[in-house]
Amino acid sequence: VNQILLFLLVLTVCAILYNKVHQVPSVLKNETVDLESPEEMEEEIPVVICAAAGRMGAAVAAISSIYSNTEANVLFYIVGLKNTIPHIRRWIENSKLKEIKFKIVEFNPMVLKGKIRQDASRPELLQPLNFVRFYLPLLIQKHEKVIYLDDDIIVQGDIQELYDTKLAPGHAAAFSDDCDLPSTHEIVRSVGMQNTYMGFLDYRKQAIRDLGISPSTCSFNPGVIVANMTEWKHQRITKQLEKWMQRNVEENLYSSTLGGGVATSPMLIVFHGKYSTINPMWHVRHLGWSPDTRYSEHFLQEAKLLHWNGRYKPWDYPSVHTDLWENWFIPDPSGKFKLTRPDS
């Protein structure tokens, strides 16, 4: 018996010594442990795009273009109203976009109650999702830096470049100036478009004159935004925007009969003199302002981002440069969203 016990003791000691020598570090055994240091981990790029009823194909094409032209770690925040969310989710999950990283965010239009002045001339500009950009910190919680994009865009460059836009200290956002790209000036003149504050604010109103902003000041376009969420919250940007929305309801300080509609004007006031600038090739716009005026093909090929702001959208007819948009369009598996073309 003693010999048996001694043999078992020796066997146990040998087993312990073997495990000590050949032990696999626990961090390697646990497949859920991230072995990369924080410096080595790939930064997540949050991109916010709205999916509105009747134009979900626009959001899909925008997402498709971004995803296809980058190796970056992009997380798409797709914002919709309650009744549209199932449709956009099915579209993504039943197409080649099923590989993207995305989160569906429901926007509650009740936050806009009492803050939008009704305007019959361009009712499409009063749709709730037009104001999602005002509420970015409420929708996106964990990111320091966020990209917001309108749905009527196509990205031809690497979204990482846009994300790397430098924001000056104290600036909550970066935009593209409407006067910054000489190649667009001819189009602006040809369609009578406004690119100054005069085209967005009613300078007959004392509240606007009291701002002390020259009407000839160059405007900017908030269809592409690179935002610093810390500064946005610190400066209470959302509260400032809501204040000017409410004042417009009471005093009619701007309207969609002016050039920029009702979502741009409050941003022009709140961010005046307090924003950084985006590389102009990362926001080539006005493609939707006329069904006849076109850019040169060479210029469009060089552009990093194309924006069909205006009435003439590339999924409708008439519109221009539709081939550049359609390259990225993914048909709706449900068949609800259809392109409007001359032969359709």
Side-chain angles (χ1 to χ4, degrees):
V1 173
N2 290 338
Q3 287 180 336
I4 294 173
L5 291 175
L6 181 62
F7 174 77
L8 292 174
L9 179 61
V10 171
L11 193 63
T12 302
V13 171
C14 288
I16 292 171
L17 290 174
Y18 180 87
N19 285 335
K20 287 288 186 182
V21 173
H22 297 278
Q23 186 179 40
V24 179
S26 61
V27 71
L28 296 180
K29 289 191 293 185
N30 185 352
E31 294 180 354
T32 64
V33 173
D34 193 340
L35 301 181
E36 295 179 311
S37 68
E39 292 75 22
E40 294 171 329
M41 291 175 64
E42 188 178 11
E43 187 172 14
E44 200 168 59
I45 298 178
V47 176
V48 179
I49 295 180
C50 295
R55 48 193 290 165
M56 287 189 193
V60 166
I63 292 168
S64 173
S65 70
I66 295 166
Y67 180 65
S68 301
N69 287 308
T70 188
E71 296 295 326
N73 180 23
V74 180
L75 173 59
F76 293 97
Y77 284 87
I78 304 170
V79 186
L81 302 181
K82 186 174 183 179
N83 61 335
T84 63
I85 286 174
H87 185 188
I88 192 67
R89 185 182 293 279
R90 283 196 300 271
W91 199 330
I92 291 170
E93 293 177 348
N94 291 281
S95 72
K96 67 180 184 181
L97 291 181
K98 62 179 179 290
E99 302 297 328
I100 70 171
K101 290 172 60 179
F102 72 99
K103 292 183 179 180
I104 301 288
V105 181
E106 181 183 342
F107 183 68
N108 185 353
M110 289 304 295
V111 301
L112 301 172
K113 187 176 181 179
K115 301 182 182 73
I116 300 177
R117 185 184 183 89
Q118 296 304 310
D119 194 324
S121 59
R122 291 194 66 185
E124 73 275 12
L125 296 177
L126 304 179
Q127 296 301 314
L129 294 182
N130 282 340
F131 301 92
V132 161
R133 71 199 89 187
F134 290 15
Y135 296 93
L136 292 177
L138 302 182
L139 299 169
I140 314 302
Q141 300 292 335
K142 68 173 185 175
H143 301 282
E144 168 72 11
K145 197 175 186 182
V146 172
I147 294 173
Y148 167 87
L149 299 175
D150 277 353
D151 60 358
D152 52 353
I153 64 99
I154 289 296
V155 172
Q156 301 187 132
D158 186 341
I159 198 72
Q160 181 76 55
E161 293 179 28
L162 180 60
Y163 186 74
D164 290 340
T165 298
K166 301 295 184 185
L167 273 67
H171 285 177
F175 308 97
S176 287
D177 280 323
D178 283 332
C179 307
D180 61 7
L181 199 58
S183 303
T184 67
H185 293 173
E186 184 178 340
I187 284 187
V188 170
R189 288 192 296 269
S190 67
V191 298
M193 193 188 319
Q194 293 287 344
N195 61 359
T196 65
Y197 273 56
M198 177 65 83
F200 296 84
L201 306 178
D202 188 348
Y203 275 83
R204 296 170 299 178
K205 302 297 173 65
Q206 187 62 44
I208 297 300
R209 295 197 300 272
D210 287 345
L211 292 169
I213 302 173
S214 169
S216 62
T217 300
C218 185
S219 54
F220 59 78
N221 186 300
V224 176
I225 307 172
V226 181
N228 180 315
M229 293 292 92
T230 300
E231 280 296 334
W232 192 293
K233 288 182 281 191
H234 175 70
Q235 297 179 32
R236 299 170 63 83
I237 296 295
T238 298
K239 288 295 182 185
Q240 293 188 57
L241 292 167
E242 288 183 326
K243 182 191 80 170
W244 283 102
M245 292 169 73
Q246 288 169 332
R247 288 199 67 174
N248 182 58
V249 170
E250 298 161 3
E251 304 175 48
N252 196 20
L253 304 176
Y254 51 84
S255 74
S256 57
T257 56
L258 296 171
V262 294
T264 298
S265 300
M267 300 198 84
L268 290 178
I269 295 172
V270 171
F271 284 101
H272 174 253
K274 296 184 292 186
Y275 65 91
S276 299
T277 54
I278 291 171
N279 180 332
M281 295 304 287
W282 266 102
H283 195 176
V284 172
R285 47 209 179 274
H286 313 319
L287 277 75
W289 273 85
S290 168
D292 305 309
T293 308
R294 304 173 66 91
Y295 287 113
S296 75
E297 292 302 320
H298 174 73
F299 175 67
L300 292 177
Q301 292 299 326
E302 294 294 316
K304 304 286 189 178
L305 182 149
L306 305 174
H307 188 184
W308 279 263
N309 57 311
R311 294 174 184 264
Y312 302 98
K313 303 302 185 185
W315 55 90
D316 280 334
Y317 180 83
S319 54
V320 297
H321 303 298
T322 54
D323 55 323
L324 294 175
W325 183 87
E326 232 174 298
N327 283 340
W328 305 107
F329 174 66
I330 299 172
D332 182 0
S334 72
K336 294 178 182 177
F337 183 94
K338 295 181 174 63
L339 302 183
T340 303
R341 295 294 181 255
D343 54 352
S344 63

